[in-house]
């Protein structure tokens, strides 16, 4: 710590008063600090803080006035911690953590109130009012529902055909999860996968997804008598950075006697941002022979650096661009540039969200090799998928 960050305060300095606005918290470098409440000229000591302790953080965290006063009991040295430094960290955390923080701060403030006055007869409550809090509570509720649903086997893998656009032939599928709660409405995977990915559930969940996918791919390949028929599996960042991930995938693959070439791992740009680890893991998968696709391309924090450095095979153009390209010149320009980029880097392009003949023709004309979308089929159960591919044989 550079000495310039330290501020000296002589003994008995009042550092701030209860009820004032706060611009920073402090770390005690030297000396003791008294935290106290005042009422009717009477002081109520709360605590004495020493070296290494932090105070004055509450007003910063909940953006309210100082909950107590602070006074130097000795000649003190303090290190101010700015509002920005603290809030930056708070904002980087999970909404549930932020909710807990707010609830605790509110409780502590109410507790302090009790010190200086007769306890009120009625209960005080930490009412949840902010939109962010409401969402955080919903997230916790959904997470515990998802845990039960997982144990009750309410999830099913569905398969959406991927076509070779030139030959008009199904050459693979993307595995997409579906949740069928026995009661209540269906919830979109976009919503529940978000919650799963942000929780520890992702590890058992991800393992289950892989098991289903590999088992089902084997069934599909046997039915089609085609070892090359490919399955694209979406991989989350949590799975990807797990140290056993490659071994897990390899074990399942050999167990089901599948060729690595028939498995495509789909990852968003976000997953790949994780620097050297990502590069190392991707390279190992690539060397074994797995296909690697970058998903939802163009919607995330794209950095051409990644494309350039990572051993990727496919770019998946996000459905939003495909949907808009016929009516919006800018979307079309993006589609064209992505195709050009992919071709220059010798990557295949897979277009998502093809819903109309015109979209298919245009993409084909622009050189897109593969596509998926409602024009061909939505995601369907394994049974229906097997029927579909055997009819088309
Ligand atoms: P802040 O509200 O910014 O300013 C007063 C500080 O006193 C507060 O942050 C805490 O760091 C500290 N503080 C408030 N209440 C208590 C308490 N009950 N016990 C110990 N420290 C407290
Ligand atoms: Mg995908």
């Amino acid at each position: 710590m550079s000495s310039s960050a330290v501020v000296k305060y002589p003994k008995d300095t009042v550092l701030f008063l209860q009820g004032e606005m706060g611009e920073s918290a402090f770390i005690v470098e030297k000396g003791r600090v008294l935290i106290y409440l005042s009422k009717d000229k009477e002081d109520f000591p709360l605590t004495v803080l020493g070296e290494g302790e932090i105070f004055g953080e509450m007003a910063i965290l909940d953006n309210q006035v100082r909950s107590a006063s602070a006074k130097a009991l000795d000649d003190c040295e303090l290190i101010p911690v700015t509002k920005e430094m603290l809030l930056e960290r708070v904002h980087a955390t999970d909404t549930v953590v932020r909710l807990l923080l707010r609830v605790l701060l509110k409780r502590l403030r109410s507790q302090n109130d009790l010190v200086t006055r007769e306890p009120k007869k009625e209960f005080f409550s930490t009412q949840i009012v902010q939109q962010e809090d409401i969402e955080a509570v919903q997230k916790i509720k959904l997470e515990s529902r998802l845990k039960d649903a997982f144990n009750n086997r309410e999830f099913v893998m569905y398969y959406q055909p991927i076509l070779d656009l030139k030959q008009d032939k199904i050459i693979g599928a993307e595995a997409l999860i579906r949740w069928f709660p026995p009661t209540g409405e269906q919830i979109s995977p976009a919503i529940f996968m978000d919650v799963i990915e942000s929780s520890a559930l992702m590890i058992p969940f991800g393992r289950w997804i892989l098991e289903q996918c590999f088992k089902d791919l084997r069934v599909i390949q046997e039915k089609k008598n085609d070892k090359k028929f490919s399955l694209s599996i979406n991989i989350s960042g949590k799975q990807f950075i797990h140290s056993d991930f490659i071994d897990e995938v390899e074990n399942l693959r050999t167990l089901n006697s599948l060729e690595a070439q028939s498995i495509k791992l789909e990852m968003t740009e976000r997953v790949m941002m994780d620097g050297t680890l990502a590069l190392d893991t991707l390279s190992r998968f690539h060397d074994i022979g797995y296909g690697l696709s970058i998903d939802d391309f163009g919607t995330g924090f794209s950095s051409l650096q990644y494309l350039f450095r990572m051993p990727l095979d496919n770019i998946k153009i996000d459905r939003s661009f495909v949907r808009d390209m016929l009516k919006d010149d800018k979307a079309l320009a993006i589609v064209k540039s992505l195709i050009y980029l992919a071709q220059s880097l010798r990557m295949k392009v897979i277009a998502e969200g093809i819903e109309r003949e015109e979209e298919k023709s245009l993409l084909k004309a622009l050189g897109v090799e593969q596509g998926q979308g409602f024009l061909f089929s939505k995601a369907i159960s394994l049974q229906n998928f097997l029927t579909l591919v055997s009819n088309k044989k």
Side-chain angles (χ1 to χ4, degrees):
M1 187 71 62
S2 86
S3 59
S4 63
V6 176
V7 184
K8 295 186 174 175
Y9 296 92
K11 182 172 161 28
D12 292 331
T13 310
V14 173
L15 301 164
F16 54 72
L17 287 171
Q18 183 182 344
E20 289 176 358
M21 297 302 293
E23 280 310 311
S24 63
F26 299 90
I27 293 169
V28 183
E29 183 75 350
K30 215 182 209 161
R32 291 168 308 146
V33 171
L34 172 72
I35 304 290
Y36 62 103
L37 299 168
S38 313
K39 193 178 183 199
D40 303 332
K41 303 230 163 69
E42 197 184 341
D43 287 350
F44 300 81
L46 288 173
T47 187
V48 175
L49 303 174
E51 217 172 281
E53 292 194 277
I54 189 164
F55 67 97
E57 77 296 339
M58 288 174 59
I60 309 299
L61 295 177
D62 63 10
N63 196 26
Q64 291 187 38
V65 295
R66 296 292 188 193
S67 62
S69 307
K71 190 164 92 180
L73 287 180
D74 308 307
D75 289 341
C76 281
E77 293 183 6
L78 305 177
I79 300 169
V81 182
T82 63
K83 203 175 198 161
E84 292 70 37
M85 271 173 75
L86 287 182
L87 292 184
E88 205 173 70
R89 261 111 182 150
V90 172
H91 291 141
T93 60
D94 190 82
T95 52
V96 175
V97 176
R98 289 203 291 272
L99 165 70
L100 295 174
L101 197 59
R102 265 196 300 277
V103 168
L104 290 174
L105 285 167
K106 214 161 169 183
R107 285 205 187 126
L108 187 58
R109 280 181 186 272
S110 314
Q111 213 65 47
N112 280 359
D113 285 350
L114 295 180
V115 173
T116 53
R117 67 174 153 79
E118 286 297 301
K120 266 199 204 157
K121 288 282 175 288
E122 73 266 25
F123 294 106
F124 54 83
S125 78
T126 43
Q127 257 182 0
I128 284 175
V129 280
Q130 294 193 28
Q131 186 57 32
E132 193 191 80
D133 291 352
I134 295 170
E135 282 164 18
V137 169
Q138 276 167 350
K139 197 165 145 183
I140 307 176
K141 279 165 69 181
L142 182 55
E143 189 176 326
S144 54
R145 260 189 82 194
L146 285 165
K147 232 177 235 163
D148 288 343
F150 183 62
N151 293 331
N152 297 337
R153 301 169 185 280
E154 292 171 17
F155 295 94
V156 184
M157 292 314 296
Y158 267 39
Y159 299 99
Q160 181 172 44
I162 295 179
L163 278 84
D164 179 308
L165 296 181
K166 238 187 239 147
Q167 302 177 46
D168 233 341
K169 193 177 137 203
I170 301 175
I171 46 140
E174 176 176 1
L176 295 162
I177 194 160
R178 292 290 178 266
W179 180 15
F180 297 103
T183 54
E185 61 191 312
Q186 278 210 36
I187 296 180
S188 126
I191 294 173
F192 70 74
M193 280 313 290
D194 230 31
V195 173
I196 290 175
E197 278 181 23
S198 70
S199 77
L201 256 185
M202 191 60 223
I203 296 300
F205 220 89
R207 192 168 298 143
W208 176 84
I209 290 175
L210 288 173
E211 281 165 12
Q212 296 299 309
C213 285
F214 281 64
K215 201 169 67 158
D216 290 352
L217 177 58
R218 184 186 182 157
V219 174
I220 297 168
Q221 287 190 350
E222 279 170 1
K223 178 91 176 188
K224 287 210 60 147
N225 194 21
D226 177 4
K227 291 291 270 178
K228 300 273 176 275
F229 193 89
S230 72
L231 186 62
S232 300
I233 307 173
N234 293 287
I235 303 296
S236 91
K238 270 232 168 68
Q239 286 173 287
F240 194 67
I241 58 169
H242 204 259
S243 53
D244 304 335
F245 184 58
I246 297 182
D247 292 340
E248 191 184 328
V249 173
E250 269 297 89
N251 285 341
L252 283 170
R253 182 178 74 80
T254 38
L255 186 75
N256 289 288
S257 342
L258 295 163
E259 290 175 10
Q261 284 72 12
S262 69
I263 296 151
K264 292 181 182 165
L265 305 177
E266 283 193 8
M267 281 150 293
T268 59
E269 293 146 88
R270 215 157 16 126
V271 176
M272 304 199 179
M273 302 244 304
D274 227 337
T276 45
L277 174 77
L279 182 57
D280 187 51
T281 311
L282 285 177
S283 305
R284 285 177 61 197
F285 274 122
H286 175 81
D287 292 345
I288 300 171
Y290 287 88
L292 299 172
S293 311
I294 185 159
D295 206 358
D296 303 336
F297 191 73
T299 60
F301 316 82
S302 317
S303 159
L304 296 182
Q305 274 241 23
Y306 298 110
L307 278 191
F308 187 64
R309 281 177 27 217
M310 306 287 183
L312 299 165
D313 307 289
N314 315 293
I315 285 186
K316 293 195 79 168
I317 299 187
D318 190 67
R319 60 170 53 76
S320 58
F321 300 123
V322 173
R323 184 192 59 211
D324 296 341
M325 68 182 182
L326 285 171
K327 52 179 191 276
D328 178 353
D329 287 347
K330 284 186 187 147
L332 181 60
I334 290 174
V335 170
K336 282 183 181 165
S337 324
L338 290 180
I339 295 168
Y340 177 74
L341 191 66
Q343 286 168 344
S344 320
L345 295 170
R346 294 193 179 65
M347 294 166 70
K348 271 212 175 80
V349 180
I350 305 171
E352 289 179 350
I354 305 178
E355 297 191 355
R356 298 193 284 155
E357 253 338 305
E358 300 94 291
E359 291 164 352
K360 176 183 149 190
S361 319
L362 176 57
L363 290 165
K364 235 166 88 174
L366 291 172
V368 175
E369 287 111 328
Q370 297 177 12
Q372 62 192 89
F374 287 0
L375 176 65
F376 314 114
S377 168
K378 57 183 188 185
I380 50 182
S381 68
L382 176 65
Q383 273 320 310
N384 288 339
F385 192 85
L386 291 173
T387 313
L388 181 75
V389 290
S390 50
N391 287 345
K392 291 244 167 115
K393 203 152 52 177

